[in-house]
Amino acid sequence: MTVDVRIKADEARRLKNDSAFSAFVQEVRDDQVRVFTTSAASDVEAREAAHGIIRALNQIEAKLDAAMTAETLLDRKQRK
């Protein structure tokens, strides 16, 4: 399990530090915010879809952060 935590954390760190990945995520996020700001009042479906995509991006980022935090906690636990 220790190895799995470290591998996952390393992969998460690589993705978070990858400028291309970050740029693509930001581009998708910006596109969805644009849907919010330019949609007509009656275009509820488009806003709901955009909201879902933004939430998914947030979840991906949270998972990456959680993987790195798990490694930090493991390191602290092993030092004690």
Side-chain angles (χ1 to χ4, degrees), residues 5-40:
V5 169
R6 295 198 187 285
I7 290 171
K8 203 170 184 180
D10 186 52
E11 291 171 345
R13 226 179 334 277
R14 265 195 317 245
L15 282 174
K16 295 243 344 168
N17 292 330
D18 185 296
S19 60
F21 176 76
S22 295
F24 282 115
V25 168
Q26 189 59 49
E27 186 177 335
V28 171
R29 188 181 307 277
D30 292 344
D31 289 346
Q32 299 315 306
V33 169
R34 199 170 303 109
V35 169
F36 272 106
T37 59
T38 62
S39 64

Side-chain angles (χ1 to χ4, degrees), residues 54-65:
I54 290 172
R55 285 180 50 92
L57 291 173
N58 290 343
Q59 283 185 318
I60 290 168
E61 290 174 342
K63 289 285 187 183
L64 295 174
D65 291 340

